[in-house]
């Protein structure tokens, strides 16, 4: 944590050092009032410290960094190449102030000789502290000796603080120039919320990409290590607040909470239920090394779950090793038979039905909106992976009501070897389209039958001419969707359905494209998806 909070935590500590120095100098002024030249020197030092404190606080406020933020967010603000420069500037500021503090502290220690030899400098915040510790003790230095010290060392102390002023100015200019260059935007007298949100959004989608790669590895490990032909995944992958811009400032990664039900030969009474959390801080924990041949990956979580134990394991993907941990859930999804799971296609009915006409399988608007939000989250976090390879209303199922009154929605997946085109990221557009289709079904209460994909996964350039529910044209279902679910829901749905067939998508679909170029295109797609589909 100390490393993650290095810059901002250090600045906060520096402000604390300045306050200590100010207190000491102000009290020295009171003790040495009769020495006019010394008083001027101390007042000059005091004024410099006030200026430094103000400038550092203004710098923190400018970048909205009053609260500690992750080092990764600081890298997103200024760039990973510039952040070390900013840290070096700060270290020079900190060292100069600390040296000043040390010299004055030693001087005061000589004047007020403490009885408590183990009293540390950091524990003494004013000259009063020294006096209280020295009650009854004999002083070594006279006031005149202190005056001599200040007359001798005052100019160098003042020069040192002038250098601090120059470095604070450099800190301000370097951070501003780096942000403008990285984000292609001009910074005015204050950083706007829009500019800060731009940096936070970029960081969030980068973390989503890393999470996606870890999810790819998790799926591959399941296929290779568990060798089961099916698995059930809860669509509730993450707490809602974890992917909000307000939370990104404090994070180094997005940690998902996968909840699985795994068919297991030695457990005929029902599937093996497991919660797997990860990946954890890929920047610090990812290892550029091969895994041990005996590592069991996903199977490690299964064996631990059989014993009702926790487990930690690693998974390799794209030459990175991601860390996960597993546990047995506190509740169970399958208190009754798995046949009690109800497919979405059987839950759908129109929202304009009268109460007396509603079916026994009640599926209210509030529950549909919550499910739609979780599906949008899946699109953000695991689109393009094999977990969403066959997303449709027949494999999306609802559990019976649990003990706490909640329902779970699960994806009942067939792991038959058919995988998403993960390397070229070409499956992303298919998966986001499938999310859009499900949003239409949830809003209208009717299955979508005619919106199908061609074999080559080409996007429909004139989607408006196609019929979604068999009896409704584009204008009709759009109007009905707005009536039932609102404008924001409708606009998010339209974005999922009518994707741009422009340069981003063309780059992603090219099999021979450079990985770095495809990943940059994926970053832009996710950023637009987050803004236009997730945030509303």
């Amino acid at each position: 944590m100390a490393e993650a909070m290095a810059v901002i935590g250090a600045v906060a500590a520096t402000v604390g050092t300045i306050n200590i120095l100010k207190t000491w100098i102000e009290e020295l002024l009171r003790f040495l009032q009769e020495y006019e030249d010394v008083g001027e020197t101390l007042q000059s030092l005091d004024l410099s410290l006030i200026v430094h404190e103000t400038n550092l606080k203004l710098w923190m406020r400018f970048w909205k960094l009053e609260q500690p933020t992750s080092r990764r967010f600081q890298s997103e603000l200024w760039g990973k190449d510039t952040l070390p420069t900013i840290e070096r500037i700060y270290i020079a500021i900190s060292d100069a102030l600390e040296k000043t503090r040390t010299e004055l502290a030693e001087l005061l220690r000589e004047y007020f000789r403490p009885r408590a030899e183990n009293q540390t400098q950091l524990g003494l915040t004013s000259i009063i502290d020294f006096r209280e510790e020295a009650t009854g003790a004999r002083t070594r230095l006279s006031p005149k000796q202190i005056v001599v010290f200040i007359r001798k060392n005052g100019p160098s102390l003042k020069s040192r603080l002038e250098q601090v002023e120059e470095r604070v100015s450099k800190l301000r200019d370097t951070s501003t120039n780096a942000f403008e260059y990285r984000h292609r935007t001009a910074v005015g007298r204050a950083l706007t919320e829009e500019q800060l949100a731009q940096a936070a959004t970029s960081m969030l989608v980068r973390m989503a990409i890393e999470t996606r790669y870890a999810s790819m590895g998790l799926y591959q490990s399941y296929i290779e290590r568990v060798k089961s032909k099916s698995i059930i995944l809860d669509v509730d992958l993450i707490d809602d607040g974890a992917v909000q811009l307000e939370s990104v400032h404090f994070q180094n990664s997005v940690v998902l909470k996968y909840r699985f039900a795994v068919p297991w030969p030695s457990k005929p009474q029902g599937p093996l239920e497991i919660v797997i959390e990860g990946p954890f801080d890929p920047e610090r924990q990812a290892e550029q090394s091969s895994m041990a041949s005996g590592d069991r990956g996903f199977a490690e979580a299964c064996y631990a779950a059989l014993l009702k134990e926790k487990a930690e394991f690693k998974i390799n993907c794209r030459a990175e090793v991601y860390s996960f941990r597993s546990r047995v859930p506190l509740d169970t999804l399958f208190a009754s038979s798995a046949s009690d799971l109800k497919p979405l296609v059987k839950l759908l009915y129109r929202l304009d039905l009268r109460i007396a006409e509603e079916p026994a399988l009640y599926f209210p608007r509030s529950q549909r909106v919550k499910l739609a939000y979780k599906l949008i989250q899946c699109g953000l976090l695991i689109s393009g992976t094999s977990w969403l390879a066959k997303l449709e209303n027949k494999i999306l199922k609802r559990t019976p009501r649990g003990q706490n009154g909640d329902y779970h929605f699960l994806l009942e997946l067939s792991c038959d070897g058919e995988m998403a085109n993960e390397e070229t990221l070409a499956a992303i557009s298919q998966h986001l389209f499938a999310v859009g289709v499900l949003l239409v079904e949830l809003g209208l209460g009717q299955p979508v039958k005619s919106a199908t994909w061609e074999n080559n996964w080409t996007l429909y350039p004139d989607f408006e001419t196609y019929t979604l529910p068999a009896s409704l044209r584009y204008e009709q279902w759009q109007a009905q969707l707005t009536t039932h679910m609102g404008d924001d829901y409708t606009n998010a749905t339209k974005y999922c359905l009518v994707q741009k067939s422009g340069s981003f998508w063309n780059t992603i679909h090219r099999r021979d494209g450079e990985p770095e170029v495809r990943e940059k295109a994926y970053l832009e797609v996710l950023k637009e998806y987050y803004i236009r589909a997730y945030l509303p």
Side-chain angles (χ1 to χ4, degrees):
M1 184 64 69
E3 179 183 358
M5 305 296 181
V7 170
I8 305 309
V11 171
T14 299
V15 171
T17 299
I18 290 175
N19 285 326
I20 291 174
L21 286 171
K22 283 167 53 185
T23 302
W24 290 353
I25 288 173
E26 289 166 2
E27 300 220 27
L28 279 171
L29 275 168
R30 284 195 287 272
F31 277 96
L32 305 173
Q33 291 178 0
E34 67 269 26
Y35 299 94
E36 185 176 346
D37 62 321
V38 172
E40 291 177 356
T41 299
L42 291 173
Q43 286 175 342
S44 176
L45 294 175
D46 186 43
L47 180 61
S48 294
L49 290 168
I50 292 173
V51 170
H52 301 334
E53 178 188 22
T54 302
N55 286 338
L56 283 171
K57 285 183 175 179
L58 286 174
W59 182 78
M60 293 174 69
R61 190 176 301 127
F62 182 88
W63 294 108
K64 309 293 191 295
L65 299 173
E66 292 93 338
Q67 298 295 323
T69 61
S70 69
R71 193 173 191 274
R72 177 162 189 171
F73 180 68
Q74 297 163 28
S75 295
E76 189 60 46
L77 284 176
W78 305 307
K80 64 181 181 180
D81 295 330
T82 304
L83 182 58
T85 301
I86 292 175
E87 290 174 329
R88 284 193 294 271
I89 296 172
Y90 166 73
I91 289 171
I93 295 171
S94 177
D95 287 348
L97 291 171
E98 184 61 24
K99 187 174 182 181
T100 303
R101 188 193 69 81
T102 301
E103 289 179 1
L104 287 179
E106 290 302 319
L107 174 70
L108 295 174
R109 283 183 181 283
E110 288 297 309
Y111 183 68
F112 294 106
R113 184 180 179 184
R115 288 182 303 175
E117 297 297 333
N118 61 347
Q119 177 69 53
T120 63
Q121 293 177 11
L122 288 177
L124 304 173
T125 59
S126 75
I127 207 167
I128 300 300
D129 293 326
F130 287 102
R131 184 191 301 160
E132 290 176 350
E133 287 296 325
T135 301
R138 180 173 55 84
T139 60
R140 288 184 179 179
L141 299 179
S142 67
K144 288 186 178 181
Q145 289 174 301
I146 295 180
V147 168
V148 170
F149 173 87
I150 294 175
R151 284 173 176 168
K152 178 181 178 181
N153 296 283
S156 63
L157 292 174
K158 186 175 180 180
S159 175
R160 189 183 302 147
L161 292 183
E162 287 174 351
Q163 293 175 2
V164 169
E165 184 176 357
E166 294 174 1
R167 287 164 180 154
V168 170
S169 177
K170 186 177 181 181
L171 179 71
R172 183 171 55 245
D173 293 342
T174 301
S175 57
T176 299
N177 293 337
F179 184 89
E180 291 180 336
Y181 177 79
R182 178 171 176 78
H183 300 282
R184 301 293 189 268
T185 184
V187 174
R189 295 176 62 86
L191 194 67
T192 66
E193 293 297 329
E194 182 179 354
Q195 288 171 323
L196 190 64
Q198 179 183 358
T201 302
S202 296
M203 177 177 166
L204 190 146
V205 296
R206 290 180 197 279
M207 293 192 297
I209 289 176
E210 293 169 0
T211 298
R212 175 188 174 276
Y213 292 140
S215 293
M216 288 166 50
L218 195 63
Y219 184 91
Q220 190 64 35
S221 180
Y222 182 76
I223 297 297
E224 294 176 354
R225 302 291 183 178
V226 182
K227 303 183 185 301
S228 175
K229 296 299 183 183
S230 63
I231 191 172
I232 293 175
L233 170 64
D234 194 327
V235 298
D236 189 358
L237 291 173
I238 196 169
D239 295 334
D240 296 341
V243 282
Q244 298 299 331
L245 295 183
E246 296 79 6
S247 304
V248 170
H249 302 186
F250 315 108
Q251 299 173 225
N252 281 312
S253 63
V254 173
V255 177
L256 299 189
K257 182 178 64 178
Y258 309 82
R259 181 161 183 171
F260 295 107
V262 180
W264 199 258
S266 63
K267 200 172 181 297
Q269 67 273 27
L272 190 62
E273 297 190 42
I274 312 170
V275 173
I276 295 179
E277 296 173 302
F280 292 99
D281 280 359
E283 280 192 333
R284 290 189 287 117
Q285 294 193 20
E287 303 168 7
Q288 299 290 342
S289 61
S290 60
M291 295 172 61
S293 58
D295 190 281
R296 298 189 292 189
F298 198 116
E300 191 69 42
C302 296
Y303 292 125
L306 286 170
L307 300 174
K308 307 295 184 183
E309 294 178 350
K310 299 178 180 179
E312 294 184 0
F313 61 98
K314 298 180 183 295
I315 285 176
N316 196 346
C317 184
R318 292 168 53 94
E320 298 281 352
V321 178
Y322 296 95
S323 298
F324 293 86
R325 60 171 176 250
S326 68
R327 59 180 173 82
V328 177
L330 298 177
D331 60 341
T332 178
L333 298 177
F334 298 96
S336 57
S337 171
S339 62
D340 289 339
L341 297 178
K342 301 301 179 185
L344 177 65
V345 69
K346 293 186 177 181
L347 294 173
L348 295 173
Y349 60 86
R350 299 197 316 275
L351 287 169
D352 55 2
L353 290 179
R354 286 178 244 174
I355 295 179
E357 298 173 336
E358 289 181 343
L361 292 174
Y362 186 52
F363 193 23
R365 181 182 284 103
S366 60
Q367 198 176 114
R368 300 185 194 202
V369 170
K370 183 177 180 180
L371 173 58
Y373 184 60
K374 290 301 175 183
L375 291 171
I376 289 283
Q377 280 187 344
C378 287
L380 175 68
L381 299 169
I382 57 174
S383 62
T385 73
S386 296
W387 296 114
L388 297 185
K390 300 175 182 179
L391 185 61
E392 61 171 350
N393 58 27
K394 294 179 181 177
I395 70 166
L396 181 58
K397 300 185 176 183
R398 188 180 73 177
T399 65
R401 188 187 297 270
Q403 293 180 347
N404 58 1
D406 292 337
Y407 293 97
H408 289 266
F409 286 89
L410 314 174
L411 293 175
E412 197 168 47
L413 305 171
S414 174
C415 305
D416 54 8
E418 181 181 343
M419 299 178 64
N421 195 347
E422 295 174 333
E423 288 306 311
T424 62
L425 308 178
I428 299 166
S429 52
Q430 179 196 25
H431 294 170
L432 298 186
F433 180 88
V435 169
V437 170
L438 288 173
L439 296 186
V440 173
E441 294 181 332
L442 290 170
L444 300 185
Q446 301 179 56
V448 170
K449 297 179 179 178
S450 58
T452 58
W453 279 79
E454 299 175 5
N455 292 332
N456 59 3
W457 288 354
T458 301
L459 291 168
Y460 292 134
D462 299 314
F463 186 81
E464 293 84 349
T465 64
Y466 282 76
T467 301
L468 277 169
S471 60
L472 295 177
R473 301 293 297 174
Y474 175 82
E475 297 82 1
Q476 293 174 304
W477 69 255
Q478 182 181 348
Q480 289 192 17
L481 197 63
T482 302
T483 299
H484 294 316
M485 308 299 277
D487 289 331
D488 289 342
Y489 185 101
T490 302
N491 290 334
T493 302
K494 287 165 58 180
Y495 177 73
C496 292
L497 292 172
V498 190
Q499 293 291 350
K500 292 180 180 179
S501 57
S503 58
F504 294 150
W505 288 112
N506 292 337
T507 302
I508 285 179
H509 282 240
R510 275 207 314 269
R511 293 177 178 274
D512 57 347
E514 292 293 328
E516 295 80 8
V517 176
R518 289 201 304 268
E519 184 166 310
K520 183 178 180 181
Y522 182 47
L523 177 67
E524 294 300 326
V525 169
L526 274 190
K527 187 182 297 185
E528 188 172 3
Y529 175 82
Y530 181 78
I531 294 170
R532 296 184 58 184
Y534 184 87
L535 285 181

